[in-house]
Amino acid sequence: MEKILNYIEDGKERFLNELIEFLKFPSVSSLSKHKPDMLACANWLVEHIKSIGIEDVRLLETEGNPAVFAQWLGQPGAPTLLIYGHYDVQPVDPVELWETDPFEPLIKNNKIIARGTADDKGQLFCHLKALESFFKLNGKPPMNIKLFFEGDEESAGEYMEDFIKDNKDLLAADYVLISDTEWLNDNSPSICYALRGIAYFEIKLTGPNRDLHSGSYGGVVDNPANVLCWLINQLKDKYGRITIPNFYDKVVPLSKEERESFKKLPFNEEEYCKDLAVDALNGEFGYSALERVWGRPALDVNGMISGFTQEGAKTVLPTEASAKFSIRLVANQSAQEIVEQVEKYIKTLTPPTMKLEFFCHSIGSPVLVSKDNPAIRACYEAMKEAFGKEPVFIREGGSIPIVENFQSILKTPPALMGLGLPGDNIHSPNENFDLNNFYGGIKASALFMDKLLKHI
Ligand code: BES
Ligand code: MN
Ligand code: MN
């Protein structure tokens, strides 16, 4: 392995320049104007994978953006590792808050700044460079490899579950390795064993057929903006619990051992508040911050639109009001069942004065994986050696919908080797990826493949 690690050390500058090329594609999956950029980016990935030594590389058509698939099966008898990542990125706005054009990467303070650096192009690129080192030095990697990089993770393409079912044999593997999560803090390499799920909704209330003078009509005609606020307020009680009937029925409670293990993690609520410039936290009664974000559901408004929002005052009752809100789910809640419960509840809450439009944008299931599997043991040792620090086991509050499909359809346990840091600003202006994590991530990926063989 020393040769491999030296190769990585010597290749740093070139790896970084190649990552920069990859980052220049504005592969924003949620905006239709970027369709051609998605394809161009996928094609670039195909060519790049060929250049590192894999011949069988394909673009797989989906209902959304193409997925990139590759396989190298030259080690008969050895296990097959599936590496997953996503080449699509989030939109860039508010663009004026960026220090650089989001698609013109900037290196500053040992970080690379651009959209998609940490989420997820930089992280997935680590695995390609690890594979390259094996191909260049040994002619082949130590086990069979499949690569699957999707282009609709950020837009939650709902076709993915069926796609995995339809391509079950093509994607079949013994282990899955994913780098699309982050460390608990800058000094704790982290292995994630649970993700929250998600259900994302939009509701619109329509009242009178036109905006009305708030003096002539206020207090008589029901106001969609007021009703929307009231309605959203009904979704949680004063203990921060979600009030949708039967919502908690399937929630797996946090075990005593797990709560103890969270308490031992190097996490400080005061520093967390300071970093966010908030004086206090708020959430479900009876749970710590880590317990809330990792192990309990949450309901949040993501945006609201209604009425007069320009400069000055205008006395008006708006004709309509709408909100986008999402619910984070935990094991073993079913996203599909939650959607039905939410729709039913919102309908019963809506007063006869309003017309309701209800829409579910996306869903993703929660995951909870057993730590007792060879891929996780290999991940632990690989990260420890690559970063020279003891890794910690964490959960994440975010969602990666496909992971549950890997578990339930492919029956393959995933190892979530997070390479991001909490300060990476994913989904936010000035997204960045620490270069130590980039280079260390390449080494950790190579070490993982080596160690996995020793663990089975
Ligand atoms: N990589 C993230 C998930 C994530 C977020 C992991 C934070 C660890 C920490 C992923 O790309 C993501 O953003 N997922 C979306 C899914 C949604 C669009 C269906 C999310 O969680 O909002
Ligand atoms: Mn991601
Ligand atoms: Mn993301």
Side-chain angles (χ1 to χ4, degrees):
M1 281 309 287
E2 208 182 308
K3 260 173 36 188
I4 297 279
L5 298 177
N6 286 338
Y7 177 90
I8 296 170
E9 198 54 43
D10 294 343
K12 283 177 171 178
E13 201 180 316
R14 176 171 55 84
F15 299 159
L16 182 60
N17 287 328
E18 291 169 353
L19 174 61
I20 289 174
E21 268 183 62
F22 185 24
L23 291 165
K24 285 189 176 186
F25 293 95
S27 49
V28 183
S29 56
S30 60
L31 302 174
S32 50
K33 70 168 183 186
H34 286 299
K35 268 253 150 202
D37 302 309
M38 295 301 301
L39 182 63
C41 188
N43 278 322
W44 183 90
L45 254 186
V46 167
E47 292 311 314
H48 195 82
I49 295 167
K50 285 183 181 163
S51 80
I52 65 176
I54 303 183
E55 280 162 27
D56 186 355
V57 193
R58 319 173 194 177
L59 270 194
L60 301 181
E61 253 181 64
T62 70
E63 275 173 39
N65 292 302
V68 175
F69 174 81
Q71 58 183 357
W72 181 87
L73 304 174
Q75 293 274 26
T80 300
L81 174 68
L82 172 67
I83 298 174
Y84 164 84
H86 62 91
Y87 70 88
D88 65 324
V89 302
Q90 284 278 324
V92 298
D93 33 51
V95 72
E96 62 285 359
L97 297 183
W98 284 78
E99 282 187 40
T100 174
D101 177 326
F103 299 106
E104 285 299 333
L106 174 76
I107 313 286
K108 193 174 156 184
N109 302 331
N110 204 41
K111 293 174 197 302
I112 177 164
I113 307 173
R115 175 55 89 224
T117 41
D119 189 13
D120 177 42
K121 287 171 170 172
Q123 295 202 51
L124 82 80
F125 204 62
C126 291
H127 302 299
L128 295 184
K129 296 297 102 179
L131 284 171
E132 177 194 303
S133 359
F134 283 116
F135 276 108
K136 293 281 139 57
L137 293 183
N138 302 348
K140 56 187 179 189
M143 62 187 62
N144 297 309
I145 300 291
K146 292 184 179 182
L147 302 175
F148 183 64
F149 300 135
E150 73 162 307
D152 283 311
E153 196 276 339
E154 299 291 8
S155 54
E158 273 175 64
Y159 61 80
M160 201 37 99
E161 183 174 348
D162 288 334
F163 183 88
I164 305 278
K165 282 184 188 153
D166 295 344
N167 292 281
K168 207 174 149 191
D169 294 336
L170 189 68
L171 295 168
D174 300 296
Y175 303 99
V176 183
L177 178 61
I178 302 172
S179 293
D180 191 22
T181 52
E182 60 195 29
W183 293 10
L184 179 64
N185 61 49
D186 291 2
N187 294 309
S188 305
S190 305
I191 301 169
C192 171
Y193 64 92
L195 294 159
R196 288 200 291 189
I198 187 169
Y200 197 114
F201 304 95
E202 180 163 352
I203 54 176
K204 183 166 152 189
L205 296 176
T206 307
N209 63 0
R210 57 189 188 276
D211 284 1
L212 302 173
H213 189 288
S214 68
S216 313
Y217 295 94
V220 189
V221 177
D222 218 358
N223 178 331
N226 291 27
V227 176
L228 184 67
C229 294
W230 171 85
L231 197 151
I232 284 170
N233 216 24
Q234 300 309 301
L235 302 178
K236 278 200 245 180
D237 67 15
K238 62 179 176 184
Y239 304 108
R241 277 178 71 90
I242 295 165
T243 50
I244 299 159
N246 302 105
F247 181 83
Y248 289 94
D249 285 3
K250 292 194 174 165
V251 169
V252 177
L254 285 163
S255 67
K256 219 175 141 209
E257 296 76 50
E258 218 175 353
R259 296 180 83 167
E260 286 306 315
S261 79
F262 290 1
K263 276 194 204 128
K264 292 194 190 107
L265 289 172
F267 175 84
N268 180 312
E269 257 180 57
E270 265 165 47
E271 278 170 32
Y272 182 82
C273 286
K274 217 169 128 200
D275 174 54
L276 300 174
V278 295
D279 292 332
L281 299 175
N282 189 20
E284 189 181 358
F285 190 79
Y287 292 93
S288 72
L290 287 183
E291 288 167 354
R292 286 170 180 166
V293 76
W294 289 351
R296 301 295 300 170
L299 184 153
D300 280 283
V301 173
N302 296 273
M304 284 173 106
I305 311 175
S306 185
F308 179 70
T309 55
Q310 314 287 77
E311 191 182 344
K314 179 185 177 209
T315 46
V316 70
L317 298 186
T319 165
E320 60 185 39
S322 62
K324 293 176 194 267
F325 67 97
S326 57
I327 305 183
R328 295 285 169 172
L329 309 170
V330 298
N332 281 332
Q333 289 180 294
S334 146
Q336 204 55 60
E337 275 172 27
I338 297 296
V339 173
E340 287 161 24
Q341 291 171 4
V342 172
E343 180 166 14
K344 199 167 146 202
Y345 190 47
I346 300 265
K347 281 185 174 156
T348 36
L349 287 174
T350 305
T353 51
M354 294 291 138
K355 185 167 110 344
L356 168 74
E357 285 163 79
F358 178 91
F359 183 64
C360 172
H361 278 277
S362 50
I363 54 170
S365 301
V367 244
L368 182 59
V369 300
S370 160
K371 284 179 258 181
D372 184 22
N373 102 50
I376 294 206
R377 286 193 284 278
C379 188
Y380 186 90
E381 288 178 12
M383 291 187 96
K384 185 173 168 185
E385 192 170 328
F387 294 103
K389 290 164 195 150
E390 203 81 33
V392 293
F393 285 97
I394 64 164
R395 289 177 170 227
E396 284 282 7
S399 313
I400 311 174
I402 203 169
V403 180
E404 197 274 333
N405 306 141
F406 288 151
Q407 246 191 326
S408 64
I409 304 167
L410 300 183
K411 311 270 184 250
T412 313
L416 296 163
M417 176 192 276
L419 298 173
L421 294 178
D424 285 351
N425 290 348
I426 62 170
H427 293 210
S428 180
N430 301 311
E431 176 177 351
N432 63 87
F433 190 32
D434 190 284
L435 294 182
N436 290 338
N437 281 37
F438 176 47
Y439 304 130
I442 302 172
K443 291 179 185 168
S445 173
L447 287 163
F448 172 87
M449 294 179 213
D450 183 56
K451 293 187 190 294
L452 182 56
L453 280 180
K454 295 180 179 144
H455 273 285
I456 46 181

